[in-house]
């Protein structure tokens, strides 16, 4: 967690095989987790002038091999979580 002047920045990083490789190996994944998170963000953003932002980056090592994923979620300090 990083607190900037006007926002909170959450960074979640893992050292897995990455989204692309996971998609080829995991044929049973529905992506439901991301869909739910995106739906919540969209719902709350409808009630706020300033919006939650989400950035998903695939991570690669020096050999350009996938080595994880980094998710950054940025929430404005004046964000209203009440709906």
């Amino acid at each position: 967690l990083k607190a900037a002047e006007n926002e909170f920045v959450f960074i979640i990083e893992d050292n897995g095989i990455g989204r692309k490789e996971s998609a080829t190996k995991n044929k049973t994944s529905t992506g439901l987790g991301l869909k739910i998170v995106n739906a919540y963000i969209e719902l709350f953003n409808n009630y706020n002038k300033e919006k939650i932002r989400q950035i998903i980056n695939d991570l690669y090592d020096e050999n350009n091999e996938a080595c994880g994923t980094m998710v950054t979620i940025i929430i404005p300090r004046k964000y209203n979580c009440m709906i």
Side-chain angles (χ1 to χ4, degrees):
L1 172 65
K2 296 178 184 178
E5 184 175 329
N6 296 316
E7 60 196 15
F8 296 103
V9 180
F10 296 85
I11 299 173
I12 303 114
E13 188 174 327
D14 76 23
N15 61 351
I17 60 174
R19 294 183 299 162
K20 187 176 181 181
E21 183 72 18
S22 179
T24 63
K25 290 184 175 185
N26 189 354
K27 301 296 183 190
T28 61
S29 177
T30 62
L32 190 57
L34 282 175
K35 290 176 188 173
I36 291 170
V37 168
N38 289 334
Y40 272 112
I41 289 172
E42 183 179 343
L43 174 67
F44 283 108
N45 279 348
N46 286 332
Y47 293 92
N48 286 274
K49 182 178 178 183
E50 296 183 51
K51 311 298 184 192
I52 291 177
R53 299 182 317 275
Q54 173 183 270
I55 304 162
I56 302 175
N57 291 309
D58 296 310
L59 303 176
Y60 297 92
D61 65 16
E62 61 277 353
N63 297 318
N64 206 31
E65 297 288 329
C67 64
T69 306
M70 180 171 57
V71 178
T72 305
I73 300 172
I74 303 157
I75 303 175
R77 280 189 182 259
K78 295 183 178 180
Y79 200 80
N80 180 6
C81 295
M82 303 298 289
I83 56 173

